[in-house]
Amino acid sequence: VNLRPEENFTWDLGAEYSFEYLEGYIDATVFHSRIDSLISSYGSSAINLTSAAQIQGIELSLVASPPGNALKLTGSYTYTDTDDGTGQALTRRPAHMASLSAIYQYSDKTSITSGVSYRGSRDDQDWVTCPSSGCRVTLPGYTLTNIAANYQYSNQIELFGRIENLFNTRYEEIVNYSTKGRSAMVGIRFKGQP
């Protein structure tokens, strides 16, 4: 495939505000990109889009640790508006994405982490149903929940366990390609002497 290199012009503008009493901050960033010759998947190959694509939106993030508390919270949200140059949204790019995680230091040796992430609906091309043209379909949004725990047994030994996709959510990141369901892992980490 003879692809041309992408050319883009991007700008972003951000602001941050700190909360001293929460030992955290909130951050907001507005962004915009114009991309000429954007490389996009096309069946089992790739092509350059003939029109200039536009990607713009806003990102919000938050970090907070209540004073005197062993809890740390982090969150983010991104809104993205895309245009492939013909008035259609770029494929596989959700308009809405969000995440929230919490880390709780239960003791000097034990910590528990949990997180929730959301990925909104987005367009894709179905090359199985429409092998010649890749008909446009909309994949539904989904939410995933993960949880993990760590125990520092000694300076050299750490025990850990985690469960990913806790609620066994069924979803597709790419049309016609399944993703794994709930999975769990336990293990031991060994660290050498300092």
Side-chain angles (χ1 to χ4, degrees), residues 22 28 35 57 61 145 173 181 185:
L22 285 178
I35 308 172
S61 60
T145 303
E173 293 182 336
M185 177 182 292

Side-chain angles (χ1 to χ4, degrees), residues 150-151 153-154 156-161 185-191:
N150 293 67
Y151 178 73
Y153 180 77
S154 68
Q156 288 75 42
I157 300 175
E158 181 184 28
L159 310 178
F160 69 90
M185 177 182 292
V186 293
I188 303 175
R189 293 191 185 97
F190 295 95
K191 301 178 182 177

Side-chain angles (χ1 to χ4, degrees), residues 112-138:
I112 301 171
T113 304
S114 63
V116 178
S117 61
Y118 171 76
R119 188 177 177 88
S121 60
R122 62 255 175 247
D123 288 349
D124 202 350
Q125 287 181 287
D126 186 348
W127 294 93
V128 174
T129 304
C130 308
S132 61
S133 59
C135 49
R136 187 169 283 248
V137 297
T138 299

Side-chain angles (χ1 to χ4, degrees), residues 48-156:
N48 289 107
L49 297 185
T50 57
S51 301
Q54 307 276 346
I55 302 174
Q56 59 188 354
I58 184 170
E59 296 178 344
L60 303 174
S61 60
L62 170 70
V63 175
S65 298
N69 199 316
L71 181 66
K72 180 178 181 180
L73 300 173
T74 60
S76 66
Y77 169 76
T78 302
Y79 170 75
T80 307
D81 177 51
T82 66
D83 188 328
D84 66 0
T86 68
Q88 289 189 311
L90 292 169
T91 57
R92 301 178 185 173
R93 297 176 187 260
H96 304 280
M97 294 180 62
S99 67
L100 178 65
S101 66
I103 302 175
Y104 181 64
Q105 194 68 38
Y106 180 76
S107 67
D108 291 341
K109 295 186 175 183
T110 305
S111 64
I112 301 171
T113 304
S114 63
V116 178
S117 61
Y118 171 76
R119 188 177 177 88
S121 60
R122 62 255 175 247
D123 288 349
D124 202 350
Q125 287 181 287
D126 186 348
W127 294 93
V128 174
T129 304
C130 308
S132 61
S133 59
C135 49
R136 187 169 283 248
V137 297
T138 299
L139 297 177
Y142 59 88
T143 301
L144 299 178
T145 303
N146 303 321
I147 189 169
N150 293 67
Y151 178 73
Q152 194 70 45
Y153 180 77
S154 68
N155 290 335
Q156 288 75 42

Side-chain angles (χ1 to χ4, degrees), residues 10-16 27-32 57-59:
T10 300
W11 62 264
D12 61 70
L13 179 65
E16 180 179 304
D27 177 88
T29 302
V30 178
F31 60 89
H32 178 91
I58 184 170
E59 296 178 344

